[in-house]
């Protein structure tokens, strides 16, 4: 079994990617299960095999503890950690060979609380990987792109787990724009040139310094363009995850 956590900023397409990749895996005759780890979501583009809402209900938390929506979501993240053994047992009961975990829409609730790394570490002992989504439309601006680099570096620092970086929603952009963003992830000189062209003042200085700091840490964010609507790039995503999780083999024979 391998387990993949799907992470990204709100609106980056985590749930849609989870749904599309799961369907792609099923068409490839792979035994896959989906875990919804977002206790506050109202609608999902897939039917989860394991649903955290069966254990942690945000509405009940608000009523029982007298909290607002944000406070309830914060507490919910900690309550999920308390249920980790039960959730692990339910995941193992599915018998699936690859598990896709759709994390909360508000990334900070999962990534930047103590419960997040605990959940990743303790949710089964199987090989794990993280998929981090860069929203293509948001990343068009080099300032936003560097901000996403920073967030992705912070995610890596929190989990220290193999991390794949995807440029999502490429169906919304022209090819030259997709190529430009992808090239930024490969060639820092190209990114620096765009920073100098499109940004001014403190934004230019901040972006250049942040880019250089991340580079000095030895972190690379090579982007894999994907579309959850057209399935473009999912073959490459799967090949990368197979190498990380099962040594290049299929999850299911």
């Amino acid at each position: 079994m391998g387990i993949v956590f799907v992470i990204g900023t709100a609106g980056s397409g985590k749930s849609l990617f989870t749904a599309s990749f799961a369907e792609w895996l099923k068409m490839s005759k792979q035994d896959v299960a989906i875990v919804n780890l977002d206790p506050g979501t109202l609608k999902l583009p897939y039917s989860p095999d394991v649903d955290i809402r069966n254990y942690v209900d945000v509405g009940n938390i608000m009523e029982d503890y007298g909290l607002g929506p944000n406070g309830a979501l914060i507490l919910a993240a900690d309550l999920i950690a308390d249920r980790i053994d039960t959730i692990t047992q339910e995941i193992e009961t599915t018998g699936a060979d690859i598990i896709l975990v759709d994390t909360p829409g508000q990334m900070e609730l999962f990534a930047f609380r103590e419960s997040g790394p605990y959940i990743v570490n303790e949710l089964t002992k199987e090989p794990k990987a993280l998929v981090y989504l860069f929203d293509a439309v948001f990343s068009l601006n080099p300032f936003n792109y560097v901000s996403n680099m920073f967030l992705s570096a912070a995610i890596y620092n929190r989990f220290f787990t193999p991390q794949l970086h995807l440029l999502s929603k490429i169906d919304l952009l022209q090819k030259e724009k997709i190529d430009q963003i992808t090239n930024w992830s490969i060639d820092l000189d190209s990114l620096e040139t765009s920073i100098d062209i499109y940004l001014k003042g403190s934004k230019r200085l901040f972006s250049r310094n942040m880019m250089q700091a991340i580079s000095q840490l030895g972190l690379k964010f090579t982007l894999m363009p994907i579309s959850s609507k057209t399935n473009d790039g999912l073959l490459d995503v799967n090949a990368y995850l197979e190498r990380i999780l099962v040594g290049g083999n299929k999850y299911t024979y």
Side-chain angles (χ1 to χ4, degrees), residues 16 136-137 167-174 178 226-232:
L16 187 56
V137 177
L167 183 65
S168 63
K169 303 182 182 179
I170 62 169
D171 51 282
L172 299 179
L173 296 181
Q174 296 178 340
I178 299 166
I226 64 110
S227 169
S228 299
K229 290 189 175 181
T230 66
N231 287 349
D232 284 352

Side-chain angles (χ1 to χ4, degrees), residues 6-81:
V6 183
I7 298 178
T9 55
S12 59
K14 296 185 292 295
S15 295
L16 187 56
F17 168 77
T18 301
S20 297
F21 190 41
E23 286 302 312
W24 187 93
L25 288 166
K26 289 174 183 177
M27 289 190 294
S28 302
K29 309 300 182 183
Q30 301 298 289
D31 192 352
V32 57
I34 300 177
V35 178
N36 169 46
L37 214 57
D38 187 347
T41 188
L42 298 176
K43 187 177 181 181
L44 292 168
Y46 56 80
S47 296
D49 300 280
V50 179
D51 194 339
I52 195 60
R53 294 175 297 181
N54 294 332
Y55 303 100
V56 179
D57 184 279
V58 172
N60 289 341
I61 292 174
M62 291 172 64
E63 183 175 342
D64 293 344
Y65 293 90
L67 297 172
N70 290 334
L73 285 169
I74 290 171
L75 179 56
D78 296 333
L79 294 177
I80 291 171

Side-chain angles (χ1 to χ4, degrees), residues 61 63 73 81 91 102 108 118 130 141 145 149 182 227 233:
I61 292 174
E63 183 175 342
L73 285 169
I91 288 173
D102 186 16
E108 61 275 16
Y118 176 79
L130 267 61
N141 183 300
Y145 175 81
M149 286 178 65
T182 305
S227 169

Side-chain angles (χ1 to χ4, degrees), residues 206-234:
F206 173 86
S207 297
R208 187 189 291 122
N209 290 344
M210 185 61 67
M211 176 199 73
Q212 292 171 351
I214 292 172
S215 176
Q216 288 170 2
L217 289 172
L219 299 176
K220 295 184 178 180
F221 299 93
T222 303
L223 289 175
M224 192 175 292
I226 64 110
S227 169
S228 299
K229 290 189 175 181
T230 66
N231 287 349
D232 284 352
L234 296 189

Side-chain angles (χ1 to χ4, degrees), residues 49-50 80 89 95 112 121-122 145 164 204 247:
D49 300 280
V50 179
I80 291 171
Q89 290 173 6
F112 300 122
N121 289 332
E122 299 300 323
Y145 175 81
L164 173 62
R204 176 191 290 174

